[in-house]
Amino acid sequence: YGKDRAADRPVLIGSLKSNIGHPQAAGGVGGVIKMVQAMRHGLLPKTLHAEERSSRIDWPAGAMELLTEAREWPRGEEPRRAGISAFGASGTNVHTIIEEAPKEEAAEPSDTSAEGNAPVGGGVVPWVLSAKSAAGLRAQAERLLTHVTARPGLSPADIGHSLATTRGRFDHRALVLGGDRDELIDALGALASGGESPHVVRGDGVAAADARPVFVFPGQGSQWVGMAVELLDSSPVFAGRLAECEVALSGFVEWSLVEVLRGGGPGLGRVDVVQPVLWAVMVSLA
């Protein structure tokens, strides 16, 4: 990689292991994460313990340089790229090249409500279907596909709400997911034809008649600054439940639940903050 490069634009060499220790099986994905974050922040982190270059490498053969200090890595005319190597004790040698994503152009605001194709809340819409047999489930998907295709003005969210709240629940079940109407229709077509789609979730076997939902909440350590904020801004139901939790907590804490979620207040570093905040988010999700 260092050949045929200008001397002032050398290939910069760093190591994940120098920063966090030996990651074992996570070395490859850790290197990918490190370089994605370097692109995101426009900064190549310093590689530790690399002050003395190896004498076994032919450094003059190409323009290469160790990252003995952090370097700014701003976006330029050409896309930024990074080569990532991972070596296993058994002789595994994996190398991949990643490139920064194209710069997103600001989308022109448009009214897509007439076509019923607008994403809802910036998230994914679920359509739930059930039937008394596997063949009936495919037939149900086919009928829904015909109905939705003939009525382009229907809202994906309204359809999802009706399917979830006004239909009976039978033993054979499937879930169709999509960010907009087109994705949902494509997935529905796959379900109707018995095909495969990453946007279709089928139940393994038949649902138990006496099954009851179980919510498993993660414990401390699952939190991050800004968690649930997008849902808070896009889902009135979630925001309403979170507001109820904030009222319930107000007699016991001196901080604002919503303020902490948005990165303010005492923050998530305190145990007496993170525990009730996680409780409130999980209850609101449920």
Side-chain angles (χ1 to χ4, degrees), residues 62-114:
M64 297 182 293
E65 190 174 323
L66 291 171
L67 275 164
T68 53
E69 297 294 336
R71 293 274 195 101
E72 296 290 331
W73 199 23
R75 183 186 288 269
E77 293 183 6
E78 296 181 2
R80 292 168 293 184
R81 298 185 183 92
I84 301 156
S85 291
F87 306 102
S90 64
T92 306
N93 180 358
V94 179
H95 185 74
T96 186
I97 301 173
I98 64 172
E99 178 180 292
E100 70 175 320
K103 189 174 182 180
E104 289 186 355
E105 299 294 335
E108 291 292 328
S110 60
D111 181 13
T112 57
S113 57

mmCIF file of all heavy atoms in Angstrom, residues 62-114:
data_model
loop_
_atom_site.group_PDB
_atom_site.id
_atom_site.type_symbol
_atom_site.label_atom_id
_atom_site.label_comp_id
_atom_site.label_asym_id
_atom_site.label_seq_id
_atom_site.Cartn_x
_atom_site.Cartn_y
_atom_site.Cartn_z
ATOM 1 N N GLY A 62 8.325 2.045 0.731
ATOM 2 C CA GLY A 62 7.056 2.737 0.497
ATOM 3 C C GLY A 62 6.834 3.812 1.532
ATOM 4 O O GLY A 62 7.512 3.860 2.553
ATOM 5 N N ALA A 63 5.881 4.678 1.256
ATOM 6 C CA ALA A 63 5.576 5.768 2.186
ATOM 7 C C ALA A 63 4.654 5.240 3.279
ATOM 8 O O ALA A 63 3.437 5.172 3.108
ATOM 9 C CB ALA A 63 4.920 6.927 1.437
ATOM 10 N N MET A 64 5.248 4.831 4.386
ATOM 11 C CA MET A 64 4.495 4.310 5.531
ATOM 12 C C MET A 64 5.012 4.972 6.801
ATOM 13 O O MET A 64 6.194 5.288 6.914
ATOM 14 C CB MET A 64 4.644 2.794 5.641
ATOM 15 C CG MET A 64 4.082 2.017 4.465
ATOM 16 S SD MET A 64 4.248 0.230 4.685
ATOM 17 C CE MET A 64 6.038 0.042 4.600
ATOM 18 N N GLU A 65 4.104 5.141 7.764
ATOM 19 C CA GLU A 65 4.496 5.837 8.982
ATOM 20 C C GLU A 65 3.656 5.340 10.147
ATOM 21 O O GLU A 65 2.441 5.133 10.012
ATOM 22 C CB GLU A 65 4.286 7.343 8.796
ATOM 23 C CG GLU A 65 4.880 8.194 9.899
ATOM 24 C CD GLU A 65 4.756 9.670 9.587
ATOM 25 O OE1 GLU A 65 4.891 10.032 8.396
ATOM 26 O OE2 GLU A 65 4.503 10.450 10.517
ATOM 27 N N LEU A 66 4.298 5.137 11.286
ATOM 28 C CA LEU A 66 3.583 4.709 12.481
ATOM 29 C C LEU A 66 2.837 5.886 13.115
ATOM 30 O O LEU A 66 3.330 7.011 13.117
ATOM 31 C CB LEU A 66 4.563 4.124 13.506
ATOM 32 C CG LEU A 66 5.201 2.781 13.143
ATOM 33 C CD1 LEU A 66 6.301 2.455 14.148
ATOM 34 C CD2 LEU A 66 4.154 1.691 13.126
ATOM 35 N N LEU A 67 1.672 5.590 13.669
ATOM 36 C CA LEU A 67 0.870 6.625 14.335
ATOM 37 C C LEU A 67 1.350 6.787 15.775
ATOM 38 O O LEU A 67 0.689 6.377 16.728
ATOM 39 C CB LEU A 67 -0.605 6.235 14.318
ATOM 40 C CG LEU A 67 -1.381 6.608 13.054
ATOM 41 C CD1 LEU A 67 -2.682 5.829 12.988
ATOM 42 C CD2 LEU A 67 -1.652 8.099 13.013
ATOM 43 N N THR A 68 2.526 7.376 15.920
ATOM 44 C CA THR A 68 3.059 7.573 17.270
ATOM 45 C C THR A 68 2.393 8.758 17.964
ATOM 46 O O THR A 68 2.563 8.952 19.165
ATOM 47 C CB THR A 68 4.578 7.816 17.209
ATOM 48 O OG1 THR A 68 4.849 8.885 16.298
ATOM 49 C CG2 THR A 68 5.289 6.553 16.729
ATOM 50 N N GLU A 69 1.635 9.537 17.226
ATOM 51 C CA GLU A 69 0.830 10.626 17.783
ATOM 52 C C GLU A 69 -0.525 10.615 17.079
ATOM 53 O O GLU A 69 -0.633 10.175 15.931
ATOM 54 C CB GLU A 69 1.506 11.992 17.584
ATOM 55 C CG GLU A 69 2.829 12.141 18.299
ATOM 56 C CD GLU A 69 2.681 12.110 19.813
ATOM 57 O OE1 GLU A 69 1.563 12.424 20.302
ATOM 58 O OE2 GLU A 69 3.662 11.780 20.498
ATOM 59 N N ALA A 70 -1.540 11.119 17.756
ATOM 60 C CA ALA A 70 -2.868 11.214 17.140
ATOM 61 C C ALA A 70 -2.809 12.166 15.949
ATOM 62 O O ALA A 70 -2.074 13.160 15.968
ATOM 63 C CB ALA A 70 -3.887 11.697 18.164
ATOM 64 N N ARG A 71 -3.564 11.870 14.902
ATOM 65 C CA ARG A 71 -3.572 12.688 13.687
ATOM 66 C C ARG A 71 -4.996 13.077 13.325
ATOM 67 O O ARG A 71 -5.915 12.249 13.382
ATOM 68 C CB ARG A 71 -2.987 11.904 12.510
ATOM 69 C CG ARG A 71 -1.518 11.583 12.610
ATOM 70 C CD ARG A 71 -0.668 12.710 12.077
ATOM 71 N NE ARG A 71 0.697 12.265 11.856
ATOM 72 C CZ ARG A 71 1.197 11.938 10.673
ATOM 73 N NH1 ARG A 71 0.445 12.019 9.589
ATOM 74 N NH2 ARG A 71 2.450 11.538 10.550
ATOM 75 N N GLU A 72 -5.176 14.330 12.937
ATOM 76 C CA GLU A 72 -6.469 14.741 12.387
ATOM 77 C C GLU A 72 -6.706 13.986 11.084
ATOM 78 O O GLU A 72 -5.776 13.760 10.299
ATOM 79 C CB GLU A 72 -6.479 16.252 12.112
ATOM 80 C CG GLU A 72 -6.337 17.119 13.361
ATOM 81 C CD GLU A 72 -7.558 17.062 14.240
ATOM 82 O OE1 GLU A 72 -8.677 16.851 13.692
ATOM 83 O OE2 GLU A 72 -7.421 17.206 15.467
ATOM 84 N N TRP A 73 -7.964 13.589 10.836
ATOM 85 C CA TRP A 73 -8.301 12.826 9.634
ATOM 86 C C TRP A 73 -9.608 13.373 9.051
ATOM 87 O O TRP A 73 -10.631 12.706 9.080
ATOM 88 C CB TRP A 73 -8.424 11.342 9.984
ATOM 89 C CG TRP A 73 -8.327 10.424 8.799
ATOM 90 C CD1 TRP A 73 -7.746 10.683 7.611
ATOM 91 C CD2 TRP A 73 -8.837 9.085 8.715
ATOM 92 N NE1 TRP A 73 -7.844 9.592 6.775
ATOM 93 C CE2 TRP A 73 -8.510 8.597 7.435
ATOM 94 C CE3 TRP A 73 -9.527 8.256 9.583
ATOM 95 C CZ2 TRP A 73 -8.862 7.310 7.013
ATOM 96 C CZ3 TRP A 73 -9.865 6.983 9.177
ATOM 97 C CH2 TRP A 73 -9.539 6.521 7.901
ATOM 98 N N PRO A 74 -9.556 14.589 8.534
ATOM 99 C CA PRO A 74 -10.793 15.221 8.064
ATOM 100 C C PRO A 74 -11.258 14.642 6.733
ATOM 101 O O PRO A 74 -10.486 14.028 5.991
ATOM 102 C CB PRO A 74 -10.393 16.684 7.907
ATOM 103 C CG PRO A 74 -8.933 16.632 7.575
ATOM 104 C CD PRO A 74 -8.378 15.471 8.362
ATOM 105 N N ARG A 75 -12.528 14.841 6.424
ATOM 106 C CA ARG A 75 -13.073 14.441 5.124
ATOM 107 C C ARG A 75 -12.435 15.299 4.042
ATOM 108 O O ARG A 75 -12.264 16.509 4.204
ATOM 109 C CB ARG A 75 -14.595 14.644 5.125
ATOM 110 C CG ARG A 75 -15.272 14.197 3.828
ATOM 111 C CD ARG A 75 -16.750 14.567 3.856
ATOM 112 N NE ARG A 75 -17.505 13.742 4.757
ATOM 113 C CZ ARG A 75 -18.104 12.599 4.415
ATOM 114 N NH1 ARG A 75 -18.011 12.154 3.170
ATOM 115 N NH2 ARG A 75 -18.795 11.907 5.289
ATOM 116 N N GLY A 76 -12.052 14.681 2.924
ATOM 117 C CA GLY A 76 -11.418 15.397 1.818
ATOM 118 C C GLY A 76 -12.145 15.156 0.511
ATOM 119 O O GLY A 76 -13.296 14.692 0.487
ATOM 120 N N GLU A 77 -11.461 15.465 -0.582
ATOM 121 C CA GLU A 77 -12.077 15.256 -1.893
ATOM 122 C C GLU A 77 -12.229 13.774 -2.205
ATOM 123 O O GLU A 77 -13.210 13.353 -2.832
ATOM 124 C CB GLU A 77 -11.231 15.933 -2.976
ATOM 125 C CG GLU A 77 -11.211 17.458 -2.887
ATOM 126 C CD GLU A 77 -10.423 18.080 -4.016
ATOM 127 O OE1 GLU A 77 -9.988 17.337 -4.918
ATOM 128 O OE2 GLU A 77 -10.251 19.312 -3.999
ATOM 129 N N GLU A 78 -11.266 12.953 -1.772
ATOM 130 C CA GLU A 78 -11.355 11.509 -1.972
ATOM 131 C C GLU A 78 -11.853 10.853 -0.684
ATOM 132 O O GLU A 78 -11.588 11.344 0.413
ATOM 133 C CB GLU A 78 -9.993 10.934 -2.346
ATOM 134 C CG GLU A 78 -9.450 11.431 -3.674
ATOM 135 C CD GLU A 78 -8.110 10.798 -3.999
ATOM 136 O OE1 GLU A 78 -7.647 9.961 -3.192
ATOM 137 O OE2 GLU A 78 -7.542 11.131 -5.047
ATOM 138 N N PRO A 79 -12.576 9.755 -0.809
ATOM 139 C CA PRO A 79 -13.070 9.087 0.408
ATOM 140 C C PRO A 79 -11.931 8.515 1.240
ATOM 141 O O PRO A 79 -10.931 8.044 0.705
ATOM 142 C CB PRO A 79 -13.968 7.969 -0.137
ATOM 143 C CG PRO A 79 -13.492 7.728 -1.531
ATOM 144 C CD PRO A 79 -13.012 9.063 -2.036
ATOM 145 N N ARG A 80 -12.084 8.578 2.556
ATOM 146 C CA ARG A 80 -11.100 7.986 3.457
ATOM 147 C C ARG A 80 -11.260 6.461 3.454
ATOM 148 O O ARG A 80 -12.374 5.951 3.441
ATOM 149 C CB ARG A 80 -11.295 8.529 4.874
ATOM 150 C CG ARG A 80 -10.946 9.999 5.005
ATOM 151 C CD ARG A 80 -11.411 10.576 6.322
ATOM 152 N NE ARG A 80 -12.873 10.622 6.395
ATOM 153 C CZ ARG A 80 -13.556 11.167 7.413
ATOM 154 N NH1 ARG A 80 -12.907 11.695 8.425
ATOM 155 N NH2 ARG A 80 -14.866 11.169 7.394
ATOM 156 N N ARG A 81 -10.139 5.761 3.477
ATOM 157 C CA ARG A 81 -10.160 4.302 3.475
ATOM 158 C C ARG A 81 -9.202 3.764 4.530
ATOM 159 O O ARG A 81 -8.219 4.422 4.876
ATOM 160 C CB ARG A 81 -9.755 3.750 2.103
ATOM 161 C CG ARG A 81 -10.670 4.147 0.964
ATOM 162 C CD ARG A 81 -10.253 3.463 -0.328
ATOM 163 N NE ARG A 81 -11.072 3.880 -1.459
ATOM 164 C CZ ARG A 81 -10.770 4.888 -2.269
ATOM 165 N NH1 ARG A 81 -9.664 5.582 -2.055
ATOM 166 N NH2 ARG A 81 -11.578 5.204 -3.265
ATOM 167 N N ALA A 82 -9.496 2.570 5.007
ATOM 168 C CA ALA A 82 -8.621 1.931 5.985
ATOM 169 C C ALA A 82 -8.559 0.432 5.700
ATOM 170 O O ALA A 82 -9.582 -0.199 5.419
ATOM 171 C CB ALA A 82 -9.140 2.161 7.406
ATOM 172 N N GLY A 83 -7.358 -0.122 5.747
ATOM 173 C CA GLY A 83 -7.175 -1.565 5.640
ATOM 174 C C GLY A 83 -7.032 -2.145 7.031
ATOM 175 O O GLY A 83 -6.269 -1.628 7.839
ATOM 176 N N ILE A 84 -7.759 -3.216 7.313
ATOM 177 C CA ILE A 84 -7.768 -3.807 8.655
ATOM 178 C C ILE A 84 -7.363 -5.268 8.557
ATOM 179 O O ILE A 84 -7.959 -6.043 7.803
ATOM 180 C CB ILE A 84 -9.167 -3.694 9.289
ATOM 181 C CG1 ILE A 84 -9.591 -2.217 9.367
ATOM 182 C CG2 ILE A 84 -9.190 -4.315 10.679
ATOM 183 C CD1 ILE A 84 -11.069 -2.015 9.429
ATOM 184 N N SER A 85 -6.338 -5.642 9.318
ATOM 185 C CA SER A 85 -5.866 -7.025 9.337
ATOM 186 C C SER A 85 -6.160 -7.660 10.683
ATOM 187 O O SER A 85 -6.069 -7.002 11.726
ATOM 188 C CB SER A 85 -4.351 -7.078 9.081
ATOM 189 O OG SER A 85 -4.062 -6.704 7.748
ATOM 190 N N ALA A 86 -6.519 -8.936 10.658
ATOM 191 C CA ALA A 86 -6.700 -9.703 11.891
ATOM 192 C C ALA A 86 -5.979 -11.031 11.720
ATOM 193 O O ALA A 86 -6.187 -11.729 10.734
ATOM 194 C CB ALA A 86 -8.184 -9.930 12.169
ATOM 195 N N PHE A 87 -5.144 -11.356 12.681
ATOM 196 C CA PHE A 87 -4.335 -12.577 12.601
ATOM 197 C C PHE A 87 -4.690 -13.514 13.748
ATOM 198 O O PHE A 87 -4.737 -13.096 14.904
ATOM 199 C CB PHE A 87 -2.849 -12.231 12.671
ATOM 200 C CG PHE A 87 -2.431 -11.207 11.654
ATOM 201 C CD1 PHE A 87 -2.238 -9.885 12.012
ATOM 202 C CD2 PHE A 87 -2.264 -11.563 10.321
ATOM 203 C CE1 PHE A 87 -1.859 -8.938 11.072
ATOM 204 C CE2 PHE A 87 -1.889 -10.624 9.375
ATOM 205 C CZ PHE A 87 -1.689 -9.312 9.753
ATOM 206 N N GLY A 88 -4.969 -14.767 13.430
ATOM 207 C CA GLY A 88 -5.293 -15.744 14.460
ATOM 208 C C GLY A 88 -4.119 -16.651 14.764
ATOM 209 O O GLY A 88 -3.245 -16.865 13.927
ATOM 210 N N ALA A 89 -4.121 -17.242 15.955
ATOM 211 C CA ALA A 89 -3.015 -18.109 16.378
ATOM 212 C C ALA A 89 -2.901 -19.346 15.491
ATOM 213 O O ALA A 89 -1.828 -19.928 15.350
ATOM 214 C CB ALA A 89 -3.216 -18.525 17.826
ATOM 215 N N SER A 90 -4.021 -19.731 14.855
ATOM 216 C CA SER A 90 -4.005 -20.934 14.032
ATOM 217 C C SER A 90 -3.473 -20.665 12.629
ATOM 218 O O SER A 90 -3.366 -21.581 11.816
ATOM 219 C CB SER A 90 -5.427 -21.492 13.921
ATOM 220 O OG SER A 90 -6.260 -20.554 13.248
ATOM 221 N N GLY A 91 -3.145 -19.420 12.328
ATOM 222 C CA GLY A 91 -2.667 -19.080 10.997
ATOM 223 C C GLY A 91 -3.680 -18.294 10.190
ATOM 224 O O GLY A 91 -3.434 -17.946 9.032
ATOM 225 N N THR A 92 -4.833 -18.007 10.788
ATOM 226 C CA THR A 92 -5.853 -17.212 10.105
ATOM 227 C C THR A 92 -5.308 -15.835 9.765
ATOM 228 O O THR A 92 -4.652 -15.198 10.583
ATOM 229 C CB THR A 92 -7.087 -17.046 11.015
ATOM 230 O OG1 THR A 92 -7.515 -18.330 11.426
ATOM 231 C CG2 THR A 92 -8.217 -16.340 10.281
ATOM 232 N N ASN A 93 -5.559 -15.375 8.571
ATOM 233 C CA ASN A 93 -5.133 -14.042 8.156
ATOM 234 C C ASN A 93 -6.292 -13.421 7.383
ATOM 235 O O ASN A 93 -6.588 -13.827 6.267
ATOM 236 C CB ASN A 93 -3.885 -14.120 7.282
ATOM 237 C CG ASN A 93 -3.410 -12.742 6.840
ATOM 238 O OD1 ASN A 93 -4.033 -11.732 7.150
ATOM 239 N ND2 ASN A 93 -2.311 -12.708 6.123
ATOM 240 N N VAL A 94 -6.958 -12.475 7.999
ATOM 241 C CA VAL A 94 -8.108 -11.818 7.367
ATOM 242 C C VAL A 94 -7.780 -10.346 7.180
ATOM 243 O O VAL A 94 -7.287 -9.688 8.093
ATOM 244 C CB VAL A 94 -9.381 -11.962 8.232
ATOM 245 C CG1 VAL A 94 -10.558 -11.253 7.573
ATOM 246 C CG2 VAL A 94 -9.704 -13.427 8.447
ATOM 247 N N HIS A 95 -8.035 -9.850 5.986
ATOM 248 C CA HIS A 95 -7.792 -8.436 5.697
ATOM 249 C C HIS A 95 -9.006 -7.867 4.975
ATOM 250 O O HIS A 95 -9.546 -8.487 4.066
ATOM 251 C CB HIS A 95 -6.555 -8.257 4.822
ATOM 252 C CG HIS A 95 -6.189 -6.815 4.591
ATOM 253 N ND1 HIS A 95 -5.604 -6.045 5.567
ATOM 254 C CD2 HIS A 95 -6.356 -6.020 3.516
ATOM 255 C CE1 HIS A 95 -5.400 -4.820 5.077
ATOM 256 N NE2 HIS A 95 -5.853 -4.784 3.844
ATOM 257 N N THR A 96 -9.454 -6.722 5.401
ATOM 258 C CA THR A 96 -10.589 -6.074 4.746
ATOM 259 C C THR A 96 -10.310 -4.583 4.606
ATOM 260 O O THR A 96 -9.539 -4.009 5.385
ATOM 261 C CB THR A 96 -11.897 -6.298 5.531
ATOM 262 O OG1 THR A 96 -12.998 -5.770 4.784
ATOM 263 C CG2 THR A 96 -11.868 -5.602 6.889
ATOM 264 N N ILE A 97 -10.912 -3.984 3.617
ATOM 265 C CA ILE A 97 -10.780 -2.537 3.398
ATOM 266 C C ILE A 97 -12.144 -1.905 3.566
ATOM 267 O O ILE A 97 -13.131 -2.366 2.979
ATOM 268 C CB ILE A 97 -10.237 -2.233 1.987
ATOM 269 C CG1 ILE A 97 -8.864 -2.887 1.802
ATOM 270 C CG2 ILE A 97 -10.142 -0.724 1.761
ATOM 271 C CD1 ILE A 97 -8.322 -2.782 0.394
ATOM 272 N N ILE A 98 -12.224 -0.875 4.384
ATOM 273 C CA ILE A 98 -13.477 -0.146 4.541
ATOM 274 C C ILE A 98 -13.295 1.268 4.016
ATOM 275 O O ILE A 98 -12.184 1.820 4.021
ATOM 276 C CB ILE A 98 -13.967 -0.124 6.005
ATOM 277 C CG1 ILE A 98 -12.983 0.643 6.910
ATOM 278 C CG2 ILE A 98 -14.182 -1.536 6.524
ATOM 279 C CD1 ILE A 98 -13.531 0.860 8.310
ATOM 280 N N GLU A 99 -14.373 1.843 3.540
ATOM 281 C CA GLU A 99 -14.355 3.185 2.960
ATOM 282 C C GLU A 99 -15.496 3.988 3.558
ATOM 283 O O GLU A 99 -16.574 3.447 3.828
ATOM 284 C CB GLU A 99 -14.524 3.084 1.439
ATOM 285 C CG GLU A 99 -14.579 4.427 0.722
ATOM 286 C CD GLU A 99 -14.757 4.252 -0.788
ATOM 287 O OE1 GLU A 99 -13.814 3.757 -1.426
ATOM 288 O OE2 GLU A 99 -15.836 4.591 -1.305
ATOM 289 N N GLU A 100 -15.265 5.273 3.785
ATOM 290 C CA GLU A 100 -16.310 6.091 4.382
ATOM 291 C C GLU A 100 -17.528 6.162 3.460
ATOM 292 O O GLU A 100 -17.421 6.085 2.236
ATOM 293 C CB GLU A 100 -15.794 7.503 4.662
ATOM 294 C CG GLU A 100 -15.546 8.351 3.434
ATOM 295 C CD GLU A 100 -15.138 9.781 3.806
ATOM 296 O OE1 GLU A 100 -15.712 10.334 4.742
ATOM 297 O OE2 GLU A 100 -14.237 10.317 3.142
ATOM 298 N N ALA A 101 -18.691 6.298 4.059
ATOM 299 C CA ALA A 101 -19.933 6.382 3.287
ATOM 300 C C ALA A 101 -19.991 7.722 2.556
ATOM 301 O O ALA A 101 -19.415 8.723 3.003
ATOM 302 C CB ALA A 101 -21.128 6.251 4.216
ATOM 303 N N PRO A 102 -20.679 7.782 1.411
ATOM 304 C CA PRO A 102 -20.835 9.060 0.704
ATOM 305 C C PRO A 102 -21.544 10.073 1.594
ATOM 306 O O PRO A 102 -22.378 9.707 2.432
ATOM 307 C CB PRO A 102 -21.701 8.692 -0.509
ATOM 308 C CG PRO A 102 -21.561 7.223 -0.665
ATOM 309 C CD PRO A 102 -21.324 6.674 0.706
ATOM 310 N N LYS A 103 -21.204 11.314 1.416
ATOM 311 C CA LYS A 103 -21.830 12.369 2.205
ATOM 312 C C LYS A 103 -23.303 12.466 1.847
ATOM 313 O O LYS A 103 -23.666 12.525 0.674
ATOM 314 C CB LYS A 103 -21.136 13.708 1.947
ATOM 315 C CG LYS A 103 -21.589 14.822 2.884
ATOM 316 C CD LYS A 103 -20.766 16.080 2.678
ATOM 317 C CE LYS A 103 -21.188 17.173 3.653
ATOM 318 N NZ LYS A 103 -20.400 18.414 3.469
ATOM 319 N N GLU A 104 -24.158 12.454 2.859
ATOM 320 C CA GLU A 104 -25.592 12.486 2.604
ATOM 321 C C GLU A 104 -26.018 13.897 2.203
ATOM 322 O O GLU A 104 -25.667 14.879 2.859
ATOM 323 C CB GLU A 104 -26.369 12.057 3.843
ATOM 324 C CG GLU A 104 -26.236 10.576 4.161
ATOM 325 C CD GLU A 104 -27.134 10.170 5.313
ATOM 326 O OE1 GLU A 104 -27.777 11.064 5.896
ATOM 327 O OE2 GLU A 104 -27.182 8.975 5.620
ATOM 328 N N GLU A 105 -26.763 13.959 1.113
ATOM 329 C CA GLU A 105 -27.340 15.233 0.708
ATOM 330 C C GLU A 105 -28.632 15.449 1.473
ATOM 331 O O GLU A 105 -29.409 14.517 1.686
ATOM 332 C CB GLU A 105 -27.626 15.238 -0.804
ATOM 333 C CG GLU A 105 -26.386 15.041 -1.666
ATOM 334 C CD GLU A 105 -25.413 16.217 -1.558
ATOM 335 O OE1 GLU A 105 -25.876 17.326 -1.232
ATOM 336 O OE2 GLU A 105 -24.209 16.001 -1.767
ATOM 337 N N ALA A 106 -28.877 16.684 1.874
ATOM 338 C CA ALA A 106 -30.110 17.002 2.588
ATOM 339 C C ALA A 106 -31.304 16.746 1.680
ATOM 340 O O ALA A 106 -31.379 17.275 0.567
ATOM 341 C CB ALA A 106 -30.099 18.457 3.052
ATOM 342 N N ALA A 107 -32.213 15.902 2.143
ATOM 343 C CA ALA A 107 -33.378 15.563 1.329
ATOM 344 C C ALA A 107 -34.351 16.725 1.270
ATOM 345 O O ALA A 107 -34.575 17.435 2.256
ATOM 346 C CB ALA A 107 -34.065 14.335 1.904
ATOM 347 N N GLU A 108 -34.916 16.930 0.095
ATOM 348 C CA GLU A 108 -35.931 17.963 -0.056
ATOM 349 C C GLU A 108 -37.200 17.498 0.643
ATOM 350 O O GLU A 108 -37.644 16.366 0.462
ATOM 351 C CB GLU A 108 -36.233 18.205 -1.542
ATOM 352 C CG GLU A 108 -35.093 18.862 -2.298
ATOM 353 C CD GLU A 108 -34.866 20.294 -1.852
ATOM 354 O OE1 GLU A 108 -35.843 20.958 -1.467
ATOM 355 O OE2 GLU A 108 -33.706 20.738 -1.851
ATOM 356 N N PRO A 109 -37.805 18.368 1.469
ATOM 357 C CA PRO A 109 -39.051 17.967 2.114
ATOM 358 C C PRO A 109 -40.140 17.737 1.079
ATOM 359 O O PRO A 109 -40.277 18.502 0.135
ATOM 360 C CB PRO A 109 -39.388 19.164 3.013
ATOM 361 C CG PRO A 109 -38.643 20.313 2.436
ATOM 362 C CD PRO A 109 -37.409 19.742 1.807
ATOM 363 N N SER A 110 -40.850 16.639 1.239
ATOM 364 C CA SER A 110 -41.925 16.339 0.303
ATOM 365 C C SER A 110 -43.081 15.712 1.042
ATOM 366 O O SER A 110 -42.911 15.097 2.089
ATOM 367 C CB SER A 110 -41.430 15.385 -0.785
ATOM 368 O OG SER A 110 -40.981 14.183 -0.204
ATOM 369 N N ASP A 111 -44.262 15.872 0.488
ATOM 370 C CA ASP A 111 -45.462 15.312 1.075
ATOM 371 C C ASP A 111 -45.747 13.980 0.414
ATOM 372 O O ASP A 111 -46.235 13.939 -0.712
ATOM 373 C CB ASP A 111 -46.641 16.281 0.876
ATOM 374 C CG ASP A 111 -47.924 15.745 1.491
ATOM 375 O OD1 ASP A 111 -47.816 14.771 2.270
ATOM 376 O OD2 ASP A 111 -49.001 16.275 1.192
ATOM 377 N N THR A 112 -45.408 12.897 1.116
ATOM 378 C CA THR A 112 -45.628 11.569 0.540
ATOM 379 C C THR A 112 -46.868 10.912 1.125
ATOM 380 O O THR A 112 -47.135 9.750 0.872
ATOM 381 C CB THR A 112 -44.413 10.666 0.809
ATOM 382 O OG1 THR A 112 -44.199 10.603 2.216
ATOM 383 C CG2 THR A 112 -43.166 11.199 0.130
ATOM 384 N N SER A 113 -47.640 11.700 1.908
ATOM 385 C CA SER A 113 -48.779 11.091 2.570
ATOM 386 C C SER A 113 -49.805 10.597 1.574
ATOM 387 O O SER A 113 -50.521 9.629 1.821
ATOM 388 C CB SER A 113 -49.423 12.111 3.522
ATOM 389 O OG SER A 113 -49.803 13.284 2.813
ATOM 390 N N ALA A 114 -49.883 11.237 0.400
ATOM 391 C CA ALA A 114 -50.853 10.813 -0.593
ATOM 392 C C ALA A 114 -50.546 9.413 -1.095
ATOM 393 O O ALA A 114 -51.427 8.660 -1.475
ATOM 394 C CB ALA A 114 -50.861 11.792 -1.771
#
